[in-house]
Amino acid sequence: MKNTFLFIAVFIAFTFSCNKDKKATIENPVTNSDNKTELKAAEKTNSKEEPTINLSEYSKLTPIEIKDSKQKDVFKKYGIEFGGVCYSCDLAVFKINKKSFDIVELCDEKNVHSYKDFSYEKNGNSLKIKTPESTFIFTQVENEPIYQLKIEGQKPEFKNMRISEFYTQESLLEKFEEHDCGDFQG
């Protein structure tokens, strides 16, 4: 009998405690919605502070040069840098991802200068990559992904590798009127 009485008392206490929580929730719905609004606003603020940067468009940038500055068609205006690609083969290619910023010789992928200590930020149509010595700024200068490179700070010097003024995505090279060395026998 004591067990039955104890069980009923616990059951009643538990039932009333649950009802009080429901009443509190119903009585103060404004407080709960205000908290939700504040959380949503905080989430939006945090997402604006850290915009997502799609580095895949910068994953492998290949050197190009202006071929005919009067052309309106981007794929006729620019083309491969013939001397650096076909003759001396001394140009730098940029490979960028979240873990490393690599500058690689076009014809010798073993000649790599890799930065692990770097940061990046996108501002408008420019991507800035900051290393301890230099800042590399890739600015999109056309409607297509054509980037002009400017370097601030200490200009890096590499053995058998020079940096071009213009770059594009390697995947777009086929679209350019001048995209390979043709019949060059150099």
Side-chain angles (χ1 to χ4, degrees), residues 10-172:
V10 170
F11 179 76
I12 292 172
F14 184 67
T15 304
F16 283 117
S17 68
C18 291
N19 286 340
K20 288 180 183 178
D21 287 342
K22 287 182 183 176
K23 286 181 184 177
T25 304
I26 294 169
E27 289 174 6
N28 294 323
V30 175
T31 306
N32 288 340
S33 66
D34 286 345
N35 287 342
K36 289 178 184 175
T37 305
E38 288 175 17
L39 289 173
K40 287 180 183 176
E43 288 173 8
K44 287 181 183 176
T45 304
N46 288 342
S47 66
K48 286 181 183 176
E49 290 174 6
E50 296 179 25
T52 303
I53 300 173
N54 183 7
L55 289 179
S56 66
E57 65 186 85
Y58 303 96
S59 64
K60 189 168 184 184
L61 297 179
T62 304
I64 56 174
E65 67 181 349
I66 295 176
K67 294 295 185 178
D68 186 354
S69 61
K70 294 177 185 173
Q71 281 286 344
K72 299 280 186 206
D73 183 348
V74 171
F75 298 110
K76 292 180 180 179
K77 181 176 181 179
Y78 297 89
I80 65 161
E81 187 178 316
F82 190 82
V85 173
C86 303
Y87 183 67
S88 60
C89 202
D90 64 347
L91 288 171
V93 174
F94 290 90
K95 295 181 180 182
I96 306 166
N97 61 52
K98 290 182 179 184
K99 295 181 181 178
S100 68
F101 171 55
D102 299 333
I103 303 171
V104 183
E105 184 183 336
L106 180 68
C107 293
D108 182 8
E109 291 198 6
K110 292 178 184 175
N111 185 7
V112 178
H113 189 80
S114 186
Y115 294 95
K116 301 293 183 204
D117 181 22
F118 72 99
S119 63
Y120 57 90
E121 65 179 307
K122 183 141 177 149
N123 188 2
N125 63 345
S126 294
L127 175 70
K128 284 187 179 182
I129 299 175
K130 296 179 183 180
T131 67
E133 305 88 26
S134 312
T135 300
F136 296 81
I137 305 167
F138 293 92
T139 304
Q140 188 169 342
V141 293
E142 301 285 350
N143 289 334
E144 298 294 331
I146 307 293
Y147 305 101
Q148 185 171 20
L149 173 61
K150 292 188 180 179
I151 301 172
E152 294 178 348
Q154 183 179 347
K155 302 245 190 271
E157 292 186 30
F158 307 110
K159 184 178 179 183
N160 300 325
M161 190 170 24
R162 68 182 171 85
I163 295 174
S164 183
E165 182 179 2
F166 296 97
Y167 284 85
T168 192
Q169 297 167 350
E170 181 184 52
S171 60
L172 289 179

